[in-house]
Structure formats: C-alpha cells, structure tokens
Amino acid sequence: MTVLVLIETEDGQVRQASRSAIAAAGKLGEVHALVTGTEASAQAAADAAAKVPGVTKVRKVASDVLAHDLAEPLADVVVALAGDYDHIVAASTASGKNVLPRVAALLDVQPIPDVVEIKDADTFVRPIYAGNALATVKSSDTKKVLTIRPTNFDPAAAEGGSATIEAVVPNVTDTVSRFVSSETPQSDRPELESARVIVSGGRGLGSCENFHKILDPLADKLGAALGASRVAVDSGFAPNDCQVGQTGKVVAPELYIAVGISGAIQHLAGMKDSKVIVAINKDPDAPILQVADYALVGDLFEIVPELTNAI
Amino acid sequence: MKILVPVKRVVDYNIKVLVKSDGTGVETAGLKMSMNPFDEIAVEEAVRLREKGAATEVIAVSIGVQQAQDTLRTAMAMGADRSILVLSEESPEPLAVAKVLKALVEREKPDLVFLGKQAIDDDMNATGQMLAGLLGWGQGTFASKVELADSRAEVTREVDGGNETVSLALPAIVTADLRLNEPRYASLPNIMKAKKKPMETLQAADLGVDMTRRLTTLSVAEPPARKAGEKVGSVTELVEKLRNEAKVI
C-alpha cells in the first residue's frame, strides 16, 4: 500500500507536525510526500521533504495558484493524484483540517480526523467529546482520508533520507478564492506544539500586562513556549494561536505549567497528555488539580516570581 | 441575500460525558442538550448581517432526531426567520450531512452558508469543508471576521501562527471560530415569537441522500486515567520534585 502525505514546511524544514504525519503514515505503507507552492517554494519544500527518512518519493506540484495553501486548488491537486493511493494523510494542523475534508468529499469518503492510534489499514482510534472518550472506528471506504494528531506520533527525523523528487504538472488554473494577506506575530519562543516545556496562563493573571510580567520571565528561564486558556485569549491577554484546548492547539510537552487556569473540560482536552503537569492556583477545588502531578495552592503573583528565582 | 445556517443539537458543553460500561458509546440519555456553541456563533453572525441589511433572510437547518426542533426554535428565537428539520438517525456523519445540505442549498439557493467550525460531540471539523467541496464553492474556515462587498466575502481566518485573510467569490461557505462574535441570549418575547415562525420537516430519504455510515464504531473507551497527583507545600518543594523526581527541569 502507498500513502500520500501532505507536507507543510517552515523556515526551509518540514514542520514537526508533518514529520509526525510521515511517521504515522509509515505504519500504513510506503510513504510519498506531496509538496506544493510556487516554483521556488515547492522546490525548497521538495528538497526538505526528500531528506526525511521514511519518504520514498516526493511529488512536487508547482503553480502560483498554490502559493498560499488555499483549500480549493490544493484539494483539486490531491484529488488528481488520489488514484495512486489507498490512504491520504495530513497532520491535524489548521491547514490539514482545512483541506482534507474537502478532499474527502470530492472522493466521496468520510474523513477520519485527529487519529491518535492506527490499529490497522482500516481501523483507527480518535478522541470524541473533547477527549473524554476514545472511539475506535473502522472505515468501509476504499480510500482513507485521515488527519493525525501530531502529539501522538513521534516525528520522523528531519535529515537522513534521500527520496526521489518527481515534478507533477498541476491541472489548476483559476479558483473561487484568493489570498489577501496574513499576519504572523514574530516570536523568539519555541513553537507551542513542539515545545518541551509550556508555561500557560489563564483568567487568574487578570490582565495582559500581568500575563507577560508574571509568565515571560518563567518561560524565558525554562526556554518554554507560552500557552493560554480560552478566557485569557478572549480577554486579550494573549494572541489566538496561543490557545490550548479542544478548539485551539493540542499539546503534549514534557512539562506543562498551568498558572491561574481552572481547568475547564475544553482546556483539559488540549493538554492532559502532557508528561508532567504542574498547577498553580489559589482555588483548592479547581478541576486542574485533578490532573496535575504537582499542585501548589496559593497566590500566583507570589508563587510564580519565587519559582522563577528558584529555577 | 439568503443565508443558510446549519445547527446541531449536542450534549451541553458544560457536561462531562461518561463512557457506557459496555463500551458501545457515551451515555447521553437524560443529559441536557443544547445548540452546538460554534453554531450559536454562526446564527449570531447571520442575524447580524440581516440586521445590517446585508442579508434578507436567515434559514436555520438541523439534521437529526425530532428533538432537534428545540435547537431550531432556539435559532429562530435568536433571529432566524424560518427553519427546516431533516429527520434522520442521531448525529449522522459529516459526509451524509454535507450531502443533505447540498440538496437544501440547491433548493433554497442561499448566497452564504454559515456553519460552526466543529461540533463538540464528534469533534470532526469537516462538514463545512465537505459541503464546500460538494458544491465547488470557496470556503472560509475558522473565521474570526467576515465582511461582504462586491459579491465577495472577505474572511479573516485563525490559522497556526496567526491570522490569514482570504477573499471568496459568492456563493461561499464560512465556518465560525470562537472569536467571530458573542452570541446573544434569546429573550422571552423572542422565544414566544419563535414558536410561530415556520418550521418545515423533511425526511433525509426524500432528498435522495444515502445516510449509510462509512465508519463503524467498534468500541468507545475511557481515555487512560492520569495517576493521582500530589499537593506540594512550597516553591522549594516543587522545584525539588521537578528536578529530582520528575526530572523535567
């Protein structure tokens, strides 16, 4: 069996989430990587993807229409290539979730999102109800279209492979959508989904100023990424893409420090697979304490600076 | 301009569901059901567009069991003008839902379909994209801002690492993210008025849609429980544990 994996790159490397998708796809069969973009960006992506161990062939589709990963042309490209594959896989990133269901509809199959375990070629495990249950589902579709949850599959290495690169002529010309602009706040911190340590803040921080005054020094000291609860994001303490939870990012770092976060179901869905969870909260009954390995009950405005100094 | 808003009846978001002891599913009997929170946001946005004069009619649609009529009444109490209930099994798969919606789109000819980005029960995040694919329309998923002008919709989307804005030719599909708006509460007079608004009931089979499931659920299990944690008394003790016991710093 052969599997097609949609690849996303960042700074000339295959994104860690896509390398997890490659690792997951390797459990299903031979892995071909699909890279798209303008001529220059697709070539750079192809060179990066060819180096990922486990990939045997890279299929490069270059067109200016594919410059921004818009779902409409990208789905058409995947569908045009789908005849050669039994499985079509992407990581459950914003882009993977945007494109793959559209692909599935065009192929008349029911997609299987957020796979956390592959049992066999037709059988997959995925979380439902905000991670409060794990469903094992068997697909009767002839082609399987799945997104995999990156934190559940150890990523393939970025270097060491040597796949062949094949250029495919795209059949996309015009599209009903066009890219207008993008806004990507710059950050020196590690990417949330691949960070080893995450310091995350919630309502308890009280303001954007406090959020950064209290959490930044601790995150700096630990080399950690900054996360946030939905309330913290909605209140403007932190940007949207910091949100950890069912509707934000799902993370599983080695150490997750939840500061002033009560631990609503929605938030727990995004972080309860972390190796070690520390909760700092003034409420001894906060639900976060039930999943925390170490809980410190008290005033975060005293505890966090003290912790920063002690590390 | 007409807007179609599909809404789903789901277990209320505040409830932590329990897995049935025989592993066949989750226990939903007797639980409070509500409109999927993302769908409330979609309804709100559609109603705001009508209040601004950008839309003329908002039609709410739900696909599922008879009780989904309560969800449609809620949508009408929020401001939807009329609604359509398509009877089927409980929680049909996104592929089947997208096909039902396609049939309704062909009948009603809306210029926009506003959906929630995902339902909080099956967490699929697929129906909007699938409907867009079936119709060949543009899709603005995970929308945090929508502006209409010159027969196009400009949609700001929440993506990894920030925001992205796309421009879609109408008709188009938009799926609502949390930050698109703050949905209103239905007032008592509006709840009473909603009882008089028209609701049409159809059978999925009448629309010529095959509702056969493609995925069979073999089992549903509790996620592995975390081992009980401990309360520590001081920062010193916490640092000591993280260094020497958990060895993570």
Side-chain angles (χ1 to χ4, degrees):
Chain A
M1 282 202 247
T2 323
V3 187
L4 185 68
V5 181
L6 277 66
I7 301 295
E8 292 172 66
T9 55
E10 193 168 47
D11 303 329
Q13 281 226 324
V14 176
R15 273 185 76 178
Q16 177 167 317
S18 293
R19 287 187 280 116
S20 288
I22 290 169
K27 295 175 191 287
L28 293 162
E30 188 184 333
V31 178
H32 290 183
L34 172 66
V35 297
T36 57
T38 60
E39 185 56 49
S41 68
Q43 186 58 47
D47 291 339
K51 286 189 213 135
V52 177
V55 176
T56 59
K57 190 200 269 190
V58 178
R59 307 191 77 178
K60 183 190 83 166
V61 188
S63 160
D64 289 346
V65 180
L66 297 167
H68 299 287
D69 291 342
L70 291 173
E72 299 83 357
L74 187 49
D76 288 345
V77 165
V78 178
V79 170
L81 297 176
D84 301 339
Y85 300 97
D86 306 293
H87 295 81
I88 297 166
V89 176
S92 298
T93 57
S95 179
K97 289 190 247 188
N98 189 32
V99 176
L100 274 199
R102 188 175 177 105
V103 169
L106 293 170
L107 296 171
D108 192 30
V109 308
Q110 168 59 42
I112 308 160
D114 255 339
V115 168
V116 296
E117 189 187 340
I118 294 168
K119 295 273 195 192
D120 61 41
D122 310 310
T123 314
F124 310 93
V125 183
R126 60 179 305 270
I128 54 174
Y129 287 94
N132 284 306
L134 291 171
T136 304
V137 295
K138 187 178 171 70
S139 169
S140 62
D141 285 316
T142 48
K143 273 187 208 305
K144 276 68 172 173
V145 175
L146 24 139
T147 60
I148 67 102
R149 185 171 275 196
T151 52
N152 287 76
F153 296 89
D154 290 335
E159 307 270 344
S162 57
T164 55
I165 299 175
E166 176 200 86
V168 180
V169 179
N171 63 346
V172 289
T173 45
D174 201 12
T175 172
V176 286
S177 65
R178 55 174 193 250
F179 173 83
V180 176
S181 62
S182 69
E183 198 188 328
T184 47
Q186 287 303 309
S187 166
D188 298 332
R189 297 189 191 283
E191 198 188 15
L192 195 56
E193 288 145 300
S194 54
R196 204 185 66 79
V197 181
I198 294 173
V199 174
S200 208
R203 188 202 304 264
L205 273 306
S207 69
C208 180
E209 194 193 350
N210 283 342
F211 190 92
H212 291 289
K213 194 175 83 189
I214 299 289
L215 299 188
D216 281 358
L218 179 60
D220 287 341
K221 209 126 184 208
L222 291 166
L226 271 185
S229 70
R230 181 185 159 189
V231 187
V233 170
D234 283 349
S235 312
F237 301 177
N240 299 345
D241 57 314
C242 282
Q243 187 185 323
V244 172
Q246 183 187 20
T247 56
K249 298 229 162 80
V250 177
V251 298
E254 285 184 37
L255 174 60
Y256 188 92
I257 305 180
V259 180
I261 293 177
S262 65
I265 297 171
Q266 196 280 132
H267 187 75
L268 299 182
M271 46 64 79
K272 67 183 167 52
D273 292 330
S274 305
K275 188 167 160 244
V276 175
I277 298 172
V278 171
I280 298 169
N281 208 297
K282 66 170 189 258
D283 175 6
D285 298 321
I288 191 84
L289 304 192
Q290 288 162 22
V291 301
D293 299 277
Y294 304 108
L296 193 46
V297 176
D299 182 358
L300 67 91
F301 294 100
E302 287 166 19
I303 291 172
V304 178
E306 198 187 328
L307 177 61
T308 307
N309 287 331
I311 289 171
Chain B
M1 167 165 130
K2 249 192 214 184
I3 305 180
L4 195 72
V5 190
V7 294
K8 185 174 184 182
R9 175 180 180 263
V10 298
V11 173
D12 189 85
Y13 73 99
N14 276 314
I15 294 172
K16 185 174 186 292
V17 296
L18 294 174
V19 172
K20 287 181 186 167
S21 53
D22 63 1
T24 56
V26 299
E27 194 56 72
T28 56
L31 295 183
K32 184 187 175 203
M33 305 292 280
S34 301
M35 188 190 299
N36 180 42
F38 292 97
D39 302 347
E40 289 184 352
I41 296 170
V43 172
E44 176 66 32
E45 196 68 15
V47 170
R48 286 186 192 185
L49 285 171
R50 204 208 39 220
E51 287 169 349
K52 278 197 289 187
T56 49
E57 190 180 29
V58 176
I59 309 158
V61 180
S62 196
I63 302 155
V65 292
Q66 186 71 46
Q67 292 93 320
Q69 62 181 312
D70 299 343
T71 312
L72 291 172
R73 292 281 171 216
T74 305
M76 291 192 291
M78 288 174 72
D81 299 287
R82 62 185 169 96
S83 60
I84 304 169
L85 172 62
V86 182
L87 290 172
S88 81
E89 59 169 318
E90 193 157 7
S91 203
E93 282 175 352
L95 178 64
V97 171
K99 287 178 178 177
V100 169
L101 293 174
K102 177 174 184 266
L104 292 177
V105 164
E106 283 162 355
R107 196 184 81 166
E108 297 287 344
K109 307 219 171 356
D111 303 280
L112 261 181
V113 182
F114 253 115
L115 303 92
K117 81 162 175 180
Q118 77 191 62
I120 59 163
D121 51 1
D122 63 18
D123 284 332
M124 283 272 184
N125 194 333
T127 305
Q129 297 89 313
M130 297 186 83
L131 178 61
L134 293 179
L135 292 165
W137 291 5
Q139 63 185 59
T141 52
F142 327 144
S144 58
K145 191 174 163 197
V146 179
E147 282 176 16
L148 301 178
D150 305 329
S151 310
R152 294 188 79 90
E154 196 154 286
V155 180
T156 301
R157 311 177 49 233
E158 293 194 8
V159 296
D160 299 342
N163 294 315
E164 171 186 283
T165 304
V166 294
S167 168
L168 310 170
L170 293 180
I173 305 289
V174 177
T175 74
D177 213 323
L178 284 170
R179 274 164 286 276
L180 183 58
N181 60 48
E182 183 101 10
R184 71 192 67 188
Y185 288 102
S187 65
L188 188 59
N190 285 342
I191 291 170
M192 300 311 288
K193 270 186 226 157
K195 290 185 177 168
K196 296 202 180 77
K197 289 184 179 178
M199 184 188 299
E200 183 185 1
T201 303
L202 302 169
Q203 300 284 341
D206 295 344
L207 294 165
V209 177
D210 176 8
M211 305 294 284
T212 312
R213 297 186 89 86
R214 306 292 183 86
L215 304 181
T216 311
T217 300
L218 301 181
S219 66
V220 176
E222 293 263 3
R226 293 186 71 91
K227 66 168 178 53
E230 57 180 307
K231 280 195 180 153
V232 293
S234 68
V235 166
T236 319
E237 193 186 339
L238 175 63
V239 171
E240 195 274 325
K241 298 263 188 199
L242 290 177
R243 275 213 177 103
N244 302 323
E245 196 174 273
K247 297 188 175 33
V248 284
I249 58 171

